[in-house]
Amino acid sequence: MSWFQRTDKGIKTSTKDKMDAPEGLWYKTPSGSIIHMRELKANAYVCPEDGYHVRIGSKEYFEILFDNNEFKELDASLSSGDPLNFVDSKPYPKRLKKVQEKTKLVDACRTAVGKMNQLEVVVACMDFSFIGGSMGSVVGEKISRAIDHALKHKIPFIMISKSGGARMMEAGYSLMQMAKTSAKLHLLSEAKVPYVSYLTDPTTGGVTASYAMLGDFNISEPGALIGFAGPRVIRETIGRDLPEGFQSAEFVLEHGFLDFIVDRRHVKSKLSSLLKMLK
């Protein structure tokens, strides 16, 4: 016998009156775990069942790191120009405008100053949703200015990287940001102001080849993809199969390029403890 029996026969609901579950209420991880978005947010966007770290942006990282989500954003209106008059399937300015409208972001990096467990810090965070977190002239300039702020006020600098690499629409201008940001970080090092590089999924290309790997401490989230070129490109270049787990945070840690891996749910307390030791 069925555990449920309809007592009223012939009940029908017209198509227009049928209700669908709203989109975006649930999240399904690659392993198949399903979690309500409200619970996911309360858990720092980490699935408690399998520990999967969902990709998030600057808005969410600022909520996690800054006390009471209170901070002062730096250079919020800085926007890219079009120095090369670049056109592919559409002109670069039109592409920028469309992405800005879609993401509500001005560019692929936001910088802010605020308190993290009562410790004042400058945080720069990249947004992958903005042209794949690509590093263009604005990203480099905002990071440089954030470093200048940290230097001026002698407060720690935290860089959260999430990027597909340099922005092709700005060609050489984007590649110049590697040297520019690295030079600024050298000044930070000379002044003995702490710099923690926090790598998230994915951190690749010119970002990995510059500021992402230059921290006094380089830390990462579990399972993050970290590398320069993609695995397929490397495999085709060297003509060999790659080791299992190649370019995962765990692989990079094992080979000495990371100091430690931290669960996002504990990153605020870990960073606070680390920076207090460096004072």
Side-chain angles (χ1 to χ4, degrees):
M1 182 177 178
S2 174
W3 66 272
F4 174 82
Q5 287 185 327
R6 188 186 295 277
T7 56
D8 297 327
K9 305 293 184 182
I11 295 178
K12 293 182 179 179
T13 305
S14 64
T15 302
K16 68 180 181 66
D17 293 327
K18 289 181 178 178
M19 298 179 65
D20 294 323
E23 292 186 5
L25 281 180
W26 302 89
Y27 186 89
K28 185 177 181 179
T29 71
S31 68
S33 298
I34 298 175
I35 181 173
H36 196 281
M37 287 301 297
R38 183 172 57 248
E39 184 183 355
L40 189 65
K41 182 178 179 180
N43 207 45
Y45 298 91
V46 177
C47 179
E49 188 172 324
D50 58 13
Y52 179 75
H53 283 54
V54 177
R55 284 185 183 177
I56 57 176
S58 57
K59 176 180 179 293
E60 293 79 15
Y61 279 113
F62 286 176
E63 288 175 355
I64 291 168
L65 294 180
F66 287 120
D67 296 344
N68 302 314
N69 196 26
E70 294 175 356
F71 58 87
K72 177 185 177 183
E73 187 164 357
L74 305 173
D75 306 302
S77 61
L78 207 60
S79 180
S80 290
D82 185 20
L84 302 176
N85 298 314
F86 186 90
V87 178
D88 51 359
S89 59
K90 64 181 70 172
Y92 184 38
K94 286 188 176 180
R95 186 179 296 279
L96 280 173
K97 185 177 180 181
K98 184 176 180 181
V99 175
Q100 287 169 345
E101 291 173 351
K102 181 180 179 180
T103 63
K104 309 303 180 188
L105 298 166
V106 181
D107 211 279
C109 181
R110 290 174 68 209
T111 56
V113 58
K115 290 189 175 181
M116 181 181 69
N117 285 337
Q118 300 304 307
L119 178 68
E120 193 167 18
V121 293
V122 176
V123 179
C125 182
M126 304 189 74
D127 281 280
F128 196 79
S129 60
F130 196 99
I131 315 181
S134 51
M135 175 185 62
S137 52
V138 164
V139 170
E141 180 65 15
K142 291 186 78 168
I143 293 171
S144 297
R145 293 188 187 187
I147 294 170
D148 286 340
H149 189 93
L151 269 170
K152 180 179 179 181
H153 298 279
K154 303 295 183 186
I155 55 179
F157 176 58
I158 299 170
M159 181 72 228
I160 305 173
S161 297
K162 185 187 295 283
S163 175
R167 188 172 300 174
M168 70 172 189
M169 299 86 160
E170 296 185 26
Y173 286 92
S174 62
L175 296 177
M176 289 164 62
Q177 307 312 310
M178 298 169 64
K180 179 178 178 176
T181 53
S182 298
K184 287 286 185 179
L185 288 171
H186 179 68
L187 297 177
L188 204 66
S189 176
E190 285 190 329
K192 300 190 185 306
V193 176
Y195 165 44
V196 178
S197 179
Y198 179 22
L199 292 80
T200 68
D201 183 59
T203 300
T204 60
V207 170
T208 307
S210 55
Y211 53 83
M213 283 295 184
L214 294 177
D216 297 317
F217 284 88
N218 296 327
I219 69 174
S220 173
E221 293 179 345
L225 172 66
I226 300 169
F228 182 64
R232 179 184 58 81
V233 174
I234 296 174
R235 188 184 301 109
E236 291 177 356
T237 301
I238 66 175
R240 296 173 58 187
D241 289 332
L242 301 172
E244 187 177 349
F246 181 70
Q247 292 187 326
S248 68
E250 292 74 14
F251 185 92
V252 176
L253 174 68
E254 184 180 342
H255 288 77
F257 290 95
L258 287 176
D259 292 291
F260 59 88
I261 294 172
V262 59
D263 188 299
R264 190 188 294 153
R265 291 167 287 190
H266 310 305
V267 70
K268 183 175 181 178
S269 61
K270 290 278 189 179
L271 284 172
S272 301
S273 300
L274 184 61
L275 292 175
K276 285 175 183 176
M277 287 192 298
L278 295 173
K279 286 183 69 176

